[in-house]
């Protein structure tokens, strides 16, 4: 934990059930390079700050952190680096909705469109009058379709590999019940799938590690298009429908000719909450938008006492 970080002011929210903890003051100084360069500085020099904010005893494996930074591009309202209990995220859809809701709560932005800089590109977020937020994500695409993977103890699964701001393996056919009551089995099998993909050398573009596994099934609410279960990096699952996961899904549906430009895709989460998504076509890729709502749940100051053995989190 950097000695200069003794306190951090954070605002907590949840987006359709998934928590975001925005660091609004007290984060480490990452310099003035690109967001990708700042992410590398964060990772190599201040990783204990990430763990101190997200891990127990101050956080938990389900918390996604968001460090606000001065944007490089002055047209952006803020820069942001997303992180969790085990590392860093390229983009985060539910987290972006949480950031916008937090900035509105602080009086730092008004309803309307705002650009936000992330390590994987600029996204645009619109705060709507009803308090919901529509995020136009980074360009998303299907990288490979119908990839089989043998998973010891579970059998063979076939999935698509797609980019939606993070790398996903998306599986439509499986025997598992997508219910909250069945979450332990879902975590176990999707964890085994992720390990099997890595062992078999199945990756995203340029050898990128596939850190999100997404299972699909029928929605519980008839107005929705599909239900998902998303394993996040680490051992936690997304309580929201996952903004980057919904983007990756829509890129696959678009590539299959199933989702047309402007058509709505309502992605239901494991909790029964939903995001409304649409795509714009960009050649064989898409520019996805996802819309959902966040609620502020707390404002606090985290304290990192120098004598606390867990000021940098409990590391499993
Ligand atoms: O909403 O993109 C998302 C997300 C990624 C990990 C957790 N949520």
């Amino acid at each position: 934990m950097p000695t200069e970080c003794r306190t951090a002011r954070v605002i907590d929210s949840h987006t359709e059930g998934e928590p975001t903890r925005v660091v609004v003051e007290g984060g480490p100084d990452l310099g003035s390079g690109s967001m990708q360069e700042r992410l590398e500085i964060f990772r190599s020099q201040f990783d204990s700050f990430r763990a101190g904010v997200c891990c127990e005893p101050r956080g938990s494996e389900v918390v996604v952190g968001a460090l606000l930074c001065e944007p490089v591009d002055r047209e952006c309202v803020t820069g942001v680096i997303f992180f969790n209990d085990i590392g860093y995220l390229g983009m985060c859809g539910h987290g972006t909705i949480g950031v916008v809701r937090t900035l509105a709560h602080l009086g730092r932005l008004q309803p309307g469109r705002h650009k936000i800089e992330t390590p994987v590109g600029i996204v645009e977020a619109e705060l709507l009058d009803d308090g919901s937020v529509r995020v136009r994500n980074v360009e998303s695409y299907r990288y490979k379709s119908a990839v089989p993977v043998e998973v010891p103890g579970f059998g063979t699964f076939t999935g698509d590999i797609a980019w939606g701001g993070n790398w996903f393996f998306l599986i439509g056919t499986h025997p598992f019940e997508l219910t909250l009551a069945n979450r332990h089995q879902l975590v176990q099998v999707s964890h085994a799938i992720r390990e099997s993909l890595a062992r078999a050398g199945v990756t995203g573009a340029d050898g990128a590690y596939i850190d999100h596994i997404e299972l699909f099934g029928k929605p519980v609410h008839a107005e929705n298009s599909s239900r998902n279960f998303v394993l996040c990096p680490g051992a936690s699952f997304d309580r929201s429908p996952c903004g980057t996961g919904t983007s990756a899904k829509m890129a696959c549906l678009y590539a299959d000719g199933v989702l047309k430009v402007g058509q709505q895709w309502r992605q239901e989460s494991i909790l029964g909450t939903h995001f409304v998504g649409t795509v714009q076509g960009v050649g064989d890729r898409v520019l996805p938008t996802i819309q959902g709502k966040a609620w502020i749940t707390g404002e606090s100051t985290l304290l990192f006492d120098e004598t606390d053995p867990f000021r940098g989190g409990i590391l499993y």
Side-chain angles (χ1 to χ4, degrees):
M1 170 68 63
T3 44
E4 69 268 26
C5 295
R6 293 205 173 87
T7 64
R9 188 167 158 241
V10 300
I11 301 207
D12 288 322
S13 61
H14 78 82
T15 303
E16 308 296 352
E18 178 78 349
T20 308
R21 171 166 283 176
V22 181
V23 178
V24 296
E25 271 173 40
D29 180 0
L30 304 178
S32 55
S34 70
M35 294 305 295
Q36 188 60 49
E37 285 164 351
R38 284 188 241 183
L39 167 56
E40 288 317 319
I41 293 171
F42 197 174
R43 194 198 306 273
S44 59
Q45 296 177 33
F46 301 108
D47 197 52
S48 57
F49 180 80
R50 170 195 63 73
V53 169
C54 274
C55 296
E56 300 165 26
R58 293 169 190 77
S60 76
E61 64 179 18
V62 73
V63 172
V64 170
L67 179 66
L68 301 183
C69 311
E70 277 297 311
V72 178
D73 182 333
R74 291 285 152 186
E75 281 194 3
C76 294
V77 65
T78 188
V80 63
I81 298 174
F82 293 107
F83 51 97
N84 71 0
D85 61 321
I86 65 136
Y88 299 84
L89 295 160
M91 218 317 259
C92 183
H94 94 267
T96 303
I97 294 172
V99 165
V100 169
R101 185 69 195 84
T102 295
L103 292 175
H105 174 74
L106 292 170
R108 292 196 199 164
L109 64 69
Q110 304 302 321
R113 290 188 182 180
H114 305 277
K115 289 183 176 170
I116 296 176
E117 214 165 56
T118 79
V120 293
I122 291 176
V123 300
E124 196 176 279
E126 185 173 3
L127 175 60
L128 300 162
D129 288 333
D130 67 356
S132 66
V133 178
R134 189 183 295 139
V135 178
R136 198 183 65 187
N137 194 3
V138 294
E139 233 173 69
S140 301
Y141 65 101
R142 178 161 70 188
Y143 174 58
K144 283 186 183 164
S145 73
V147 178
V149 60
E150 175 66 39
V151 184
F154 290 102
T156 301
F157 298 92
T158 301
D160 287 355
I161 302 171
W163 171 256
N166 294 299
W167 282 105
F168 289 82
F169 192 71
L170 304 97
I171 300 172
T173 305
H174 57 80
F176 307 108
E177 231 183 79
L178 300 189
T179 59
L180 204 51
N182 195 32
R183 63 192 180 282
H184 298 302
Q185 186 191 34
L186 295 170
V187 167
Q188 193 190 12
V189 66
S190 43
H191 201 268
I193 292 168
R194 185 167 62 198
E195 288 195 331
S196 299
L197 289 169
R199 253 197 321 272
V202 178
T203 67
D206 302 322
Y209 177 59
I210 299 171
D211 54 3
H212 290 72
I213 306 296
E214 191 166 5
L215 307 176
F216 294 90
K218 283 200 169 47
V220 168
H221 303 292
E223 67 275 20
N224 292 333
S225 317
S226 144
R227 169 173 277 231
N228 69 6
F229 169 87
V230 182
L231 181 73
C232 299
S236 173
F237 63 92
D238 200 329
R239 274 67 170 164
S240 86
C242 191
T244 51
T246 301
S247 300
K249 174 66 176 172
M250 292 193 296
C252 295
L253 291 165
Y254 180 79
D256 285 333
V258 173
L259 186 70
K260 308 285 181 218
V261 169
Q263 192 184 338
Q264 280 194 354
W265 180 260
R266 290 174 61 100
Q267 186 63 61
E268 183 177 286
S269 73
I270 195 77
L271 299 187
T273 58
H274 70 276
F275 285 153
V276 178
T278 57
V279 293
Q280 253 177 276
V282 187
D284 59 352
R285 299 184 173 202
V286 295
L287 258 186
T289 62
I290 50 130
Q291 185 176 333
K293 214 163 179 172
W295 289 265
I296 301 295
T297 56
E299 298 188 35
S300 53
T301 301
L302 304 181
L303 305 180
F304 303 103
D305 186 324
E306 271 171 49
T307 65
D308 179 352
F310 301 120
R311 65 197 292 259
I314 297 173
L315 306 176
Y316 291 93

